[in-house]
Amino acid sequence: MKKKRPLRSLSLSIAVALGLGAVSSVQAASSDNPRKQASYPVWADYTDSWTRQDAATIALTDDNTLPLLDEMPTEIITDEVWIWDTWPMTNLNARTVNYKGYKVIFSLTADRDLAFPQRHWTAEIGYSVSRDGESWEYQGDVFPEDVDPPGLREWAGSTILIGDKVYFYYTASGSDGAGPNDPEYFTQKLVVASATISADSNGVSFSDWSEHKIIAEADGEMYQTLEQSAAGPIIYGFRDPWVFENPQDGQVYMLFEGNSPGETVECGAVDDSDNTGPINTGPYRTADVATAADGELPVSPQAKYYNGNIGLASSVQGSMTEFELLPPILHANCTNQQLERPHATFSGGLVYLWTISHKFTFAPALQDVGVDGLYGFVGPSIRSDYLPLNGHGLVLANPPENNTQAYSWYAMPGGFVEAFLDNVNGEFAGTLTPTVKMVTKKHTETSFVHTFDGPFIP
Ligand code: FRU
């Protein structure tokens, strides 16, 4: 049985007094049945936790471990650019839409002359179209050249089609004018731009562009700011907006990757086994990171810097371009720094919350068990006590022989999951992996059951 402790005090009495969206099962419930977990109003000040105890039990099994690829795929999406984080154009219900015979996917892209690990710093969103959801034709950059997006680079997001209007949600990373040694080189803000879609025999195009509007920034109260994060070893997160309509209340919300506010989080008694420096900082190197790698940052307990969370914002009166920050729905304080690209699927009255994470972003003592993978949680509503799927949260993992084979898994309705291929035998791939299909049993257990021939988007 899982004990749940609120991150902050609950506003339940107010919720119940106002009778606003309060879900009936607000009393503390603890059960292995996700339907019996406690639920809270979307705007309540309650954040569930992915605990160190949960993560400590992560294990690779036949149900979650993907096969080793020993040959580069012969067909790649494009040889014009590297491709990584990818998402389909969907409706508000997270279902892929077919526009005049085309499915459209959006990907972060960068010049293939760059070493693949350097791709983050020049990322731009490109897109590809397909008539059958299997073979893809790369169409180039999404945003026209004369548009000046509010950042140095474009990071992940989501794309929603309503009528013939497309809403592009993405992360503006880096402040204009900032150089690699400036802290502002690492800022992240959530942005929307919209356009009209049209299609012809050559594919799909976008016109009538709106301004790019910043719709959310870290506030330092619910979400850690860049400044607050400066002491920690790994880049903070305020990125990867994913917009959806919640089937339980019909309202539009946005999930995103954040960090808990302040400089550090409280991890309880110092644990000597957590003193396993030096810190693995991964590809996101900053001046502070260099210091950490030099061993000058205090390394015990390091866990206090690992404070990833999944953020929530609600649309203001159904608007697709105005959002209000709400408290995060899940945090990984002392467990993991990055809950990246959060997204959700809804089935059987339950919410399945998905996120990706790297081995190196687990707090140090957990890096032995944590892997690059897709992680999932199931709960009765968007703000609820979630059960980590399979007990620990790991749903799909790379084979142990190559922990960085693939990344950025994206779970779609029906259990279809796509990702990008990072490397095969150490050679950078920068294209999409074959899609896999997984099934969920007893609401809380997952098993991957099929690998498609290529990057199939249903
Ligand atoms: C995941 C990720 C995203 C981010 C992008 C930047 O692969 O870290 O969170 O938007 O890559 O390249």
Side-chain angles (χ1 to χ4, degrees):
M1 296 259 272
K2 226 165 94 97
K3 287 221 180 69
K4 296 289 183 180
R5 238 177 312 132
L7 177 63
R8 297 187 209 93
S9 66
L10 266 168
S11 330
L12 276 181
S13 47
I14 308 171
V16 173
L18 295 177
L20 285 175
V23 185
S24 54
S25 58
V26 287
Q27 75 279 7
S30 185
S31 161
D32 290 340
N33 179 350
R35 295 185 196 284
K36 294 194 177 154
Q37 294 288 92
S39 235
Y40 306 92
V42 274
W43 43 267
D45 192 6
Y46 178 79
T47 304
D48 192 19
S49 57
W50 185 25
T51 67
R52 290 169 69 85
Q53 289 74 17
D54 298 332
T57 65
I58 288 172
L60 296 185
T61 66
D62 287 349
D63 288 324
N64 63 25
T65 308
L66 295 160
L68 181 69
L69 292 184
D70 48 16
E71 275 179 36
M72 196 62 87
T74 46
E75 289 198 14
I76 61 173
I77 301 281
T78 171
D79 59 7
E80 285 178 50
V81 286
W82 294 125
I83 281 201
W84 67 107
D85 296 10
T86 294
W87 58 95
M89 182 168 73
T90 67
N91 59 21
L92 272 171
N93 299 328
R95 296 197 177 271
T96 309
V97 285
N98 189 312
Y99 182 78
K100 298 197 171 160
Y102 291 106
K103 290 179 180 176
V104 188
I105 52 173
F106 299 90
S107 307
L108 300 190
T109 68
D111 199 322
R112 275 192 173 249
D113 290 341
L114 286 171
F116 195 52
Q118 291 304 317
R119 68 192 184 279
H120 302 289
W121 310 113
T122 61
E124 287 182 308
I125 301 172
Y127 70 112
S128 309
V129 296
S130 172
R131 288 192 177 276
D132 59 6
E134 287 174 16
S135 51
W136 295 92
E137 197 179 318
Y138 178 63
Q139 304 253 288
D141 292 344
V142 169
F143 302 138
E145 287 213 336
D146 56 349
V147 168
D148 191 16
L152 297 175
R153 57 193 88 89
E154 299 148 19
W155 283 1
S158 54
T159 307
I160 309 285
L161 180 71
I162 298 178
D164 63 356
K165 197 155 181 187
V166 192
Y167 293 89
F168 299 89
Y169 300 91
Y170 70 96
T171 313
S173 165
S175 299
D176 278 336
N181 294 322
D182 299 327
E184 289 75 28
Y185 197 64
F186 304 97
T187 53
Q188 295 154 56
K189 297 172 186 174
L190 310 186
V191 177
V192 67
S194 64
T196 302
I197 189 171
S198 55
D200 61 21
S201 56
N202 295 320
V204 156
S205 54
F206 307 103
S207 58
D208 305 328
W209 282 93
S210 73
E211 295 290 303
H212 288 232
K213 180 186 169 198
I214 294 171
I215 47 173
E217 294 185 55
D219 60 349
E221 299 286 324
M222 290 187 281
Y223 297 97
Q224 188 181 47
T225 58
L226 173 69
E227 296 72 34
Q228 291 174 336
S229 76
I234 300 175
I235 191 172
Y236 87 130
F238 194 81
R239 60 180 188 263
D240 303 349
W242 188 82
V243 171
F244 67 104
E245 185 181 294
N246 179 1
Q248 295 183 339
D249 64 9
Q251 304 298 308
V252 174
Y253 296 93
M254 178 166 67
L255 299 178
F256 57 89
E257 172 190 350
N259 289 95
S260 299
E263 293 191 350
T264 57
V265 287
E266 186 53 60
C267 297
V270 172
D271 174 358
D272 284 343
S273 66
D274 195 12
N275 202 359
T276 53
I279 297 169
N280 178 353
T281 57
Y284 304 115
R285 297 199 155 261
T286 68
D288 292 310
V289 165
T291 313
D294 288 349
E296 287 173 30
L297 264 187
V299 289
S300 178
Q302 299 160 357
K304 65 187 177 193
Y305 298 118
Y306 291 75
N307 58 357
N309 70 30
I310 295 181
L312 184 70
S314 70
S315 142
V316 176
Q317 294 175 347
S319 165
M320 294 296 286
T321 58
E322 222 181 307
F323 286 81
E324 184 186 348
L325 289 182
L326 295 172
I329 54 174
L330 183 74
H331 73 75
N333 289 353
C334 316
T335 302
N336 196 313
Q337 168 71 2
Q338 294 196 147
L339 304 185
E340 303 194 271
R341 296 195 64 200
H343 54 288
T345 53
F346 302 86
S347 94
L350 295 169
V351 179
Y352 289 84
L353 189 59
W354 310 103
T355 185
I356 51 166
S357 205
H358 287 292
K359 187 178 190 68
F360 78 88
T361 62
F362 278 88
L366 295 169
Q367 289 178 11
D368 289 343
V369 288
V371 292
D372 283 28
L374 174 72
Y375 293 83
F377 305 83
V378 59
S381 72
I382 203 77
R383 188 177 301 282
S384 64
D385 278 337
Y386 283 95
L387 293 173
L389 291 172
N390 308 312
H392 38 62
L394 180 63
V395 169
L396 286 176
N398 284 317
E401 299 88 342
N402 184 3
N403 178 58
T404 57
Q405 176 171 285
Y407 193 59
S408 221
W409 292 268
Y410 182 84
M412 296 170 275
F416 300 90
V417 186
E418 62 86 16
F420 77 86
L421 192 59
D422 183 318
N423 77 82
V424 176
N425 291 328
E427 192 187 335
F428 294 127
T431 190
L432 296 187
T433 60
T435 297
V436 299
K437 162 99 173 136
M438 62 176 181
V439 293
T440 308
K441 291 171 274 178
K442 297 186 210 151
H443 310 305
T444 56
E445 293 166 21
T446 62
S447 175
F448 109 83
V449 291
H450 180 70
T451 305
F452 289 84
D453 290 339
F456 167 59
I457 300 293

